[in-house]
Amino acid sequence: MGQQQMMRRFAKWHIWLAWLAGVPILMWTVTGLIMVIKPIEEVRGNHLRNAVTERALPSDTEISVALPADSTRPVRSVTTQIERGETVTRITYMDGASDRFRADGSEMGPISEVEARMIVAERIKGGDRVADTARYDADNVPFDFRREMPVWQVALTDGTHVYVGEYTGEIEAVRTQWWRTFDFVWGLHIMDLQTREDTSHPILILFAILGVLASLLGFVLMFRRRKARKVKAA
């Protein structure tokens, strides 16, 4: 097979590969552009979080917290601080779960809807503008949360969803409208709109390979045609 004939065959392959890979390549470029428009800190809603000032405990504070004797859960950390005027000791376990205790050692139950609203109003800018609240079990959380833990969803009037852990009393996630746009675009980018977490699957790998092959053939054809023009000019 002559060199010219081989270049014509490469050109045909390049056209077909361009048709197959052109759409996903364009999609990757557009979605990538959208994802970098705003800093990731703003996407995550960090700019809406108020700095929490930790108040020093009184010097005469006495704390007594005891885990059940048969408890085998490994502990990650133990912290004590004043939360809304009350001394609270939080024990965080290695699995991410946590328990809260009062200064006298009594365990605190899950936070109420009113407490969830108070936490959001205190720690989120504009958190007092609440449109709705809802409680979700660990096995039925909203798609924009996607963590298996019971939470309160505090929906603000600007479309932001703030998730407060029912047992942790902490703001577990802030989901702005832009976050949801980013999340959808990310799903398109990795071609996984169902879970938006699988970054290695056959469809994505196939189109990535096709894109690479089309690019390589394009480079070969570009340099060969440039060389041919120089020969004719000479």
Side-chain angles (χ1 to χ4, degrees):
M1 182 184 299
Q3 190 175 38
Q4 188 174 3
Q5 187 178 0
M6 183 180 295
M7 287 300 105
R8 283 198 296 266
R9 179 167 294 183
F10 280 176
K12 290 181 180 179
W13 291 349
H14 181 257
I15 292 173
W16 282 107
L17 286 173
W19 277 107
L20 289 173
V23 173
I25 288 176
L26 177 61
M27 181 184 69
W28 290 332
T29 304
V30 173
T31 54
L33 173 62
I34 294 175
M35 287 191 292
V36 299
I37 288 177
K38 293 187 178 182
I40 191 63
E41 292 78 12
E42 187 172 346
V43 173
R44 293 170 177 166
N46 293 345
H47 65 297
L48 298 177
R49 293 178 181 258
N50 291 321
V52 179
T53 303
E54 295 186 1
R55 295 174 54 191
L57 295 174
S59 58
D60 59 348
T61 300
E62 294 184 2
I63 301 172
S64 175
V65 176
L67 292 175
D70 58 349
S71 176
T72 58
R73 301 175 68 181
V75 175
R76 176 185 297 171
S77 63
V78 179
T79 59
T80 300
Q81 59 189 31
I82 296 178
E83 297 181 2
R84 297 182 299 282
E86 185 173 13
T87 301
V88 177
T89 296
R90 177 178 286 104
I91 299 178
T92 304
Y93 304 98
M94 293 302 296
D95 60 2
S98 65
D99 291 323
R100 298 185 303 158
F101 298 86
R102 295 182 177 86
D104 60 5
S106 60
E107 186 173 359
M108 302 177 68
I111 66 172
S112 65
E113 178 182 356
V114 174
E115 288 178 302
R117 284 174 173 253
M118 290 175 59
I119 291 171
V120 173
E122 176 186 355
R123 302 185 185 180
I124 297 295
K125 297 175 183 176
D128 56 338
R129 297 190 291 269
V130 178
D132 191 20
T133 57
R135 179 193 172 278
Y136 293 92
D137 292 322
D139 58 352
N140 189 36
V141 295
F143 188 69
D144 64 350
F145 185 61
R146 296 202 290 273
R147 291 171 59 186
E148 293 184 358
M149 63 182 302
V151 290
W152 282 99
Q153 180 198 72
V154 181
L156 305 183
T157 54
D158 63 357
T160 299
H161 294 167
V162 184
Y163 290 96
V164 182
E166 186 178 20
Y167 289 93
T168 65
E170 294 289 334
I171 293 179
E172 301 295 341
V174 179
R175 305 306 193 205
T176 63
Q177 287 184 324
W178 181 255
W179 185 96
R180 290 190 286 276
T181 299
F182 182 98
D183 188 49
F184 175 75
V185 170
W186 167 251
L188 286 176
H189 195 75
I190 64 173
M191 297 183 175
D192 178 24
L193 286 174
Q194 186 173 2
T195 66
R196 300 177 189 177
E197 295 180 357
D198 190 359
T199 58
S200 178
H201 54 85
I203 295 177
L204 180 61
I205 294 173
L206 173 62
F207 278 107
I209 292 174
L210 291 177
V212 171
L213 292 176
S215 299
L216 290 175
L217 285 176
F219 274 116
V220 171
L221 293 171
M222 179 179 66
F223 286 113
R224 290 299 303 179
R225 289 172 180 172
R226 183 180 178 184
K227 183 177 180 180
R229 283 197 298 270
K230 287 184 177 178
V231 171
K232 289 181 179 179

